[in-house]
Amino acid sequence: MEYVSLEGLRLDGRRPKETRRMRCELTALPGSDGSAVFELGNTKVLAAVHGPHECRRPSERLEDRLLVKCEVSMAAFSTGERRRRTKGDRRTNELSTFVRRCIETCVSAELLARSQLDVSIQVLQADGGVRAAAVNAAVLAIVDAGIPMQDTMACCSAGYLDDTPLLDLNYMEEGGGGPEVHVAYMPQMDRVVAIVTENKASVDVFERAHELALDGCRVASKLMRERMIEHAKHLWAMRQVTLRVKDDETGDEAKPISMET
Amino acid sequence: MTAPVLPGEPLRHADEVRSGPGTYVRGKSVVAAVMGHARTTPAADDADDKRPLVEVIKGPVVTGDATGRGGGTLLPEVGDEVFARVLRINPRQVWCEIVAVNGKAVNDASGFQGIVRQQDVRATEIDKVDMYESFLPADVIRAKVLSLGDQRSYYLTTARNELGVVQAKSPFTGEPMVPVSWQEMMCPSTQVKVSRKVAKVD
């Protein structure tokens, strides 16, 4: 199959160093402490954060740091053919471990000792780049939950097909069997958190794909930061309204609870 | 004065300012740790450290009023008045789930577990307390936090006039019962009296 045409266009019409359209939304699920949706082209991932709360199992409690639990599930309708997916198969387990370890690196875990943070990730549509979208959604949800962290984080993938480094592979390109590099990156600290490579890659190919993926991370991070700033402004405006309402109340806020007898 | 900031964003040089809530020190910078708005407040006149304080305020929840103890998660502390729902009973103690602390609802889905031991049910004749005559599952009780208890639960006490069962359902009709004395509640439709350790509510 030809992944890059003579004109230099990919299967979905992108140039090799182009990402798909990204979109994100914070506080997508009001029932949770923090939540976010991240879309990468047709890939769509929902992340929800619960906590920090007391550890559900005291035996798992860590005395010096936060316990992070991460669960990934794929919706039955997330791929082309409908399929009931069991929880905890090899693929989703590996994905949840990856997301969990990225989160553990970026949150200030020592500030939240003896508590637990649950991150649930639901893949609504899978069209390649699920790993990157899952990390990005999780990071946004954690920021939304107000968990202290060292820096924000962004994740992006890059591959190498038809002797061309390609940014942000879609489902078809992921099936092409070429090397694929996922990079998670903290933009302000300029620090790479995690790298995962699938399929064999020579050092030369790896380095080119890695550089490209890093550029993708910067693009994703810029977009995410813009969206977060917008959300922070919105929350600030809401806060000002709340404060004004409180001022208007004439101090009879704490009414004793009475029982009619 | 305030500007939106994101985690990881350097705010000021660490020599110029003190790092407040929502920030941390990385190298020589004070850096934001949460999403919100940065605020600088000058140090108090009598403070030893004259540098202004930089903090990041999260919105929109106005923290600091939940328990009057600064923001964060609502955690019961010794001496707090709590409302709890009775879950389980045995002759020595009752297990309950704390649903509100100092009049504020606990938002943690599972709540906190509390235990009222036999000797903490009432102030007098504490050896003769019959747990089954004092509480039943599904009662809502008002209690005070006695101690942080063991690893799992807070120890609560109802050994005061204003503490005890505030809401109980009739075993016959399921409607809320009416207190008639400090030891009895009455079902409004069948007029049958049931024993409880009743709270005196004004």
Side-chain angles (χ1 to χ4, degrees):
Chain A
M1 198 192 237
E2 190 186 46
Y3 289 97
V4 183
S5 71
L6 282 173
E7 296 82 30
L9 294 176
R10 286 151 72 174
L11 294 168
D12 51 8
R14 283 184 287 160
R15 302 235 169 242
K17 296 186 177 176
E18 226 175 332
T19 66
R20 287 172 285 173
R21 184 185 69 106
M22 293 182 214
R23 196 186 75 87
C24 47
E25 184 189 332
L26 275 82
T27 322
L29 208 67
S32 59
D33 291 313
S35 60
V37 167
F38 192 88
E39 284 177 39
L40 193 59
N42 284 331
T43 299
K44 187 172 182 179
V45 176
L46 170 72
V49 168
H50 294 273
H53 52 70
E54 263 191 273
C55 294
R56 294 278 179 254
R57 285 193 208 141
S59 58
E60 286 179 336
R61 194 166 76 171
L62 302 170
E63 290 301 322
D64 57 338
R65 60 201 319 268
L66 173 74
L67 172 72
V68 181
K69 291 248 164 185
C70 184
E71 193 181 85
V72 177
S73 55
M74 306 270 286
F77 49 81
S78 62
T79 47
E81 70 196 80
R82 191 181 171 86
R83 174 159 55 146
R84 179 147 301 281
R85 287 168 193 278
T86 49
K87 226 176 227 178
D89 60 357
R90 198 192 63 85
R91 232 174 73 103
T92 55
N93 263 342
E94 196 265 343
L95 184 53
S96 64
T97 310
F98 178 78
V99 176
R100 196 192 77 229
R101 296 187 65 163
C102 285
I103 293 167
E104 281 172 343
T105 323
C106 100
V107 301
S108 307
E110 68 288 349
L111 294 179
L112 299 162
R114 298 181 296 281
S115 42
Q116 178 181 343
L117 186 73
D118 296 317
V119 182
S120 323
I121 292 167
Q122 176 81 42
V123 180
L124 300 172
Q125 284 187 73
D127 184 37
V130 169
R131 193 195 297 269
V135 171
N136 292 345
V139 168
L140 289 170
I142 288 171
V143 169
D144 186 36
I147 312 286
M149 49 207 295
Q150 296 181 39
D151 194 356
T152 54
M153 186 171 54
C155 183
C156 193
S157 72
Y160 196 84
L161 287 164
D162 289 349
D163 297 327
T164 323
L166 301 177
L167 184 59
D168 184 19
L169 302 188
N170 64 21
Y171 182 74
M172 297 285 280
E173 290 163 340
E174 275 186 355
E180 196 185 338
V181 179
H182 293 261
V183 177
Y185 172 72
M186 294 196 204
Q188 294 278 348
M189 293 172 86
D190 192 26
R191 197 176 131 197
V192 172
V193 176
I195 302 176
V196 172
T197 311
E198 274 162 35
N199 301 335
K200 274 185 187 168
S202 70
V203 175
D204 176 45
V205 164
F206 168 78
E207 274 173 3
R208 289 172 73 183
H210 172 243
E211 274 308 312
L212 194 58
L214 260 182
D215 287 340
C217 289
R218 292 193 184 96
V219 171
S221 128
K222 186 161 171 280
L223 178 114
M224 284 159 68
R225 292 186 81 89
E226 277 169 11
R227 187 70 196 86
M228 284 188 277
I229 288 282
E230 209 176 291
H231 192 73
K233 280 182 183 164
H234 169 70
L235 292 181
W236 185 254
M238 298 245 295
R239 184 191 153 91
Q240 299 309 98
V241 173
T242 325
L243 285 174
R244 215 166 297 140
V245 171
K246 274 203 184 279
D247 284 345
D248 292 346
E249 282 171 9
T250 47
D252 54 359
E253 196 189 346
K255 270 187 193 151
I257 298 158
S258 62
M259 190 173 69
E260 277 146 27
T261 50
Chain B
M1 192 187 76
T2 55
V5 292
L6 295 177
E9 208 164 298
L11 300 172
R12 294 281 289 277
H13 197 277
D15 292 343
E16 294 170 17
V17 290
R18 279 180 300 145
S19 151
T23 67
Y24 71 100
V25 179
R26 182 171 74 218
K28 287 181 174 165
S29 308
V30 174
V31 182
V34 293
M35 176 177 76
H37 279 64
R39 185 169 71 181
T40 316
T41 32
D45 290 336
D46 53 344
D48 295 335
D49 197 337
K50 294 291 180 203
R51 295 175 298 170
L53 184 80
V54 168
E55 57 187 325
V56 177
I57 303 156
K58 294 187 257 184
V61 183
V62 184
T63 51
D65 62 351
T67 54
R69 280 192 294 265
T73 321
L74 186 56
L75 283 174
E77 277 186 21
V78 174
D80 282 352
E81 189 186 88
V82 299
F83 284 90
R85 186 178 295 116
V86 175
L87 300 173
R88 214 146 41 96
I89 254 186
N90 82 7
R92 286 179 310 281
Q93 56 191 28
V94 294
W95 284 266
C96 45
E97 171 194 37
I98 297 173
V99 292
V101 179
N102 287 340
K104 300 275 175 187
V106 174
N107 52 10
D108 197 335
S110 63
F112 304 103
Q113 194 172 308
I115 287 178
V116 184
R117 294 171 299 178
Q118 189 193 16
Q119 63 264 41
D120 299 326
V121 171
R122 64 186 183 208
T124 53
E125 294 188 297
I126 56 172
D127 308 326
K128 291 186 181 161
V129 174
D130 183 347
M131 296 309 267
Y132 298 96
E133 305 259 284
S134 307
F135 306 107
L136 279 182
D139 288 358
V140 176
I141 62 168
R142 178 151 79 173
K144 268 203 155 49
V145 179
L146 198 64
S147 79
L148 300 183
D150 56 18
Q151 278 209 326
R152 283 156 180 247
S153 28
Y154 292 92
Y155 282 151
L156 309 176
T157 175
T158 57
R160 287 176 72 161
N161 284 350
E162 70 271 20
L163 305 177
V165 177
V166 289
Q167 199 200 42
K169 283 179 179 166
S170 159
F172 312 106
T173 58
E175 60 197 313
M177 290 195 289
V178 174
V180 286
S181 75
W182 75 277
Q183 279 183 314
E184 279 176 318
M185 288 183 115
M186 190 173 72
C187 170
S189 25
T190 57
Q191 315 287 310
V192 174
K193 289 176 183 168
V194 185
S195 78
R196 287 289 199 289
K197 162 60 175 101
V198 183
K200 186 182 181 188
V201 186
D202 341 286

